[in-house]
Amino acid sequence: MGDLVDRLSEVVGAAQVLTGEAISPDYSHDESLTATPGFPMAVVRPRRAAEVAALLRIADERAVPVVARGSGTGLSGAAVPHGEGIVVSFERMDSIVEVDTANHVAVVEPGVRLEQLDAALEPHGLVYPVFPGELSAALGGNVSTNAGGMRAIKYGVTRHHVLGLEAALVSGQLIRTGGKYVKTSTGYDLTQLIVGSEGTLALVTEATLRLQPRSTHAATLLAPFRTLAEVTSAVPRIVHAGVGPRILEYIDALTMAAITANVDLDLGIPVEIREAAQAYLVVVLEGNDADRVEEDTANAGILLDSLGAIDVYVLPPSAGAELISAREKAFFVAKAAGADDIIDVVVPRAAIPEYMVKVAAIADEYGALVTGCGHVGDGNIHLTVFQPDKSRRVGLLRAVYQQGMALGGAISAEHGIGTEKLDHFLALEDPAKIDLMRGIKAVFDPNGILNPGKLLG
Amino acid sequence: MGDLVDRLSEVVGAAQVLTGEAISPDYSHDESLTATPGFPMAVVRPRRAAEVAALLRIADERAVPVVARGSGTGLSGAAVPHGEGIVVSFERMDSIVEVDTANHVAVVEPGVRLEQLDAALEPHGLVYPVFPGELSAALGGNVSTNAGGMRAIKYGVTRHHVLGLEAALVSGQLIRTGGKYVKTSTGYDLTQLIVGSEGTLALVTEATLRLQPRSTHAATLLAPFRTLAEVTSAVPRIVHAGVGPRILEYIDALTMAAITANVDLDLGIPVEIREAAQAYLVVVLEGNDADRVEEDTANAGILLDSLGAIDVYVLPPSAGAELISAREKAFFVAKAAGADDIIDVVVPRAAIPEYMVKVAAIADEYGALVTGCGHVGDGNIHLTVFQPDKSRRVGLLRAVYQQGMALGGAISAEHGIGTEKLDHFLALEDPAKIDLMRGIKAVFDPNGILNPGKLLG
């Protein structure tokens, strides 16, 4: 241990190797509701990619587990330290290396936070369009979990915006994958393999991100519906209309009441409509021309009306932004309300009503309260589970995941597997695929030092 | 051999196992200008995924090479048969399994051709927006090479539209990856690993493809510029204007003369402008509203004018379509003109002028004529090389690839490595990445039966 600390200190300087009492409890957890915190032997804070590579080589020689850490906003336990390992914290690698306005890319270190990047891009009229909700999240963590968010209906998820990576291998080598281009057919796509691998294959030391023009105008429509099935039926119609919605969210009545109360937001919806509404559809349109956005909004309103909305509200810009912001805080509202777990299943979006009927039956069976909202355009459902008894909750989760997969979905849309969904993943996923993944893992990390016990066990 | 044929025949029926004289020369090649044709021991034509899996198991047990074949329109030699192996031809697996208008996906067998899929989607007002130029290409081949094309500036490439796969492993197992959703963070992305792997990891037996609303209106602008640098400088400005161009192509003066002459297309450009123009920029805009497309076109024209275009032509719809179609035939024009090779390098789009200066110097050095056009919005340059001497041509290619990589680019944007770029790829790529790729290959295909000698040697 003393020798290990010496070796690590040679790389980053003694001040950047924390041990014992110097390790703040902040490093011991992520935002998962259920993961057990842990303290590592050491927290190491490199400043450069070459240091990360050197740290990995030292760890690999001694078979010391390594857990990468961005800003710790993950929801699956993937960044929780290993008790006999080290944490490589990217907090000091937080430079925006380049905003390249000719190629429309940004090059960032993994510790750069979403809000930091957004502030840097705004003056250029550009945007990194992945908004997973928590703007203090670091890009390195976003890349490792393939973070999603509300704008995926228009822009896709992190994966679709990572054009290239620099990554450190356990051998101490740095590789560069991809680059400032969208098209390539030059060997296996190592970029896409590393994205979403939860720190189990390599440590990302730099990411090249695709940017988009930043829209200057936006409008938010809110449509209460009597049933969730009407909401999901409306989705393909809205997409097909070609207005390119930035956001298509559903929020169930309970969740809507909770998230608006949390921020004292009065949307001015009459009580009789609120009582009739089982689910709300939120549609955000955007564009660079005020007249067109207004025209699109009017047309979308007519369309929503024809699709059975009880009423359609075009929210004033401030209320629209507040509603989206309130929705982004749904997790914290659930947490404050004593939620026992959250779920981020994805199913084909047309299967959502059928899925929710099954979820209601499962909730009944396990005596749980389950509320929800979700990225309905993407089939990504966020459920909040209230069931304090662990074994019943685990049974409920297993059933909920199993039903999602039976409908052609997957366990996690955007939070990842980490530790908290690991048993379910290993139990429900095709063993042939698990074998392939473990084989790939062994190619990158033969000694199994990278985030052991996460994602693949 | 006799025993092998018997075993294969048990799986697909004797009529679907071709040997000797029964193997048409059509199976012996792809469209590469340089690859040496070859005849396999047998061509096998399965009808179902389970048959493909069974064929792989038989081949793996006997260490018989397997080459997958779609419609043979590849340009890198990847589908050329192995003399001691079998070809699995997907020509009979050509069903569109489903056009799902609620989830906006199509599920296709690998032998489905692009033109066939497009015809099936058109009545639904949907489009699979990857147009690599050759509409007789099969989707299985498109997936295996990660085919690109002219619309990538707006829609990305094949990779961005493949949501899921069914694939046969050498073990004889079938796996399903991904599904009818865009978001997932559930283990390593095997879908994206198999896309672009040129038949070296698994055989794709079904693909789930993301669809987009089909635009009802389009407009084509043609702008001659004095220099290529002005063309590339214009690109980010056009993208930034937010009109979402479907196509941003550059065509050099020589190529423009050749491709328009090939189809007798008179664009009505005065001779003095043609003489002054070193490069043309083609901009195609699209939308669902005629007025908006017209307004966007007018604005784009003003922008192009301000960016130094010698003139701006808004082509009549028929001429616009003919020009794009003529451009798609550029490869065949080059072939008919006796071109010795073609190149599909990608560089960051802003680096194109610098790159083309280097390419001109290399062409001089090796006594070659090099003409070009390309997907300038994506940095993807198609060069046609006239230099019959093989060793000089190989030297030229090596230098052209090396320079592309030095500018942060890659050897192939959309044609793949196959056999024809293999030596260059292995010589120029980072050995650490090649080692990872070979390790991954060994996980999927321990006996090395899948397309041996391609992509990774």
Side-chain angles (χ1 to χ4, degrees), chain B residues 345-362:
Chain B
V345 161
V346 62
V347 296
R349 68 185 183 206
I352 288 179
E354 183 182 352
Y355 183 59
M356 292 306 289
V357 169
K358 295 193 173 180
V359 166
I362 295 167

Side-chain angles (χ1 to χ4, degrees), chain A residues 102-103 124 145-146 149 176 183-186 188-189 200 240 292 295-296 349-350 375 380 412 414 433, chain B residues 102-103 124 145-146 149 159 176 183-186 188 200 240 292 295-296 349-350 375 380 412 414 433:
Chain A
N103 291 303
H124 298 287
T145 51
N146 186 27
R176 282 196 168 273
K183 295 170 110 169
T184 176
S185 297
T186 309
Y188 304 153
D189 195 330
T200 64
H240 207 148
R292 288 191 188 183
E295 189 187 8
D296 287 346
R349 68 185 181 206
H375 314 309
N380 175 196
S412 174
E414 55 187 5
K433 285 162 68 181
Chain B
N103 291 303
H124 298 287
T145 51
N146 187 26
R159 175 177 303 294
R176 284 196 167 271
K183 296 170 109 169
T184 176
S185 297
T186 310
Y188 303 153
T200 64
H240 206 149
R292 287 190 188 184
E295 189 186 10
D296 287 346
R349 68 185 183 206
H375 314 308
N380 175 196
S412 174
E414 54 188 6
K433 285 162 67 181

Side-chain angles (χ1 to χ4, degrees), chain B residues 29-51:
Chain B
H29 63 87
D30 65 2
E31 293 292 336
S32 161
L33 294 177
T34 51
T36 309
F39 281 84
M41 292 201 300
V43 172
V44 192
R45 301 186 296 197
R47 181 63 201 93
R48 295 181 305 111
E51 294 172 7

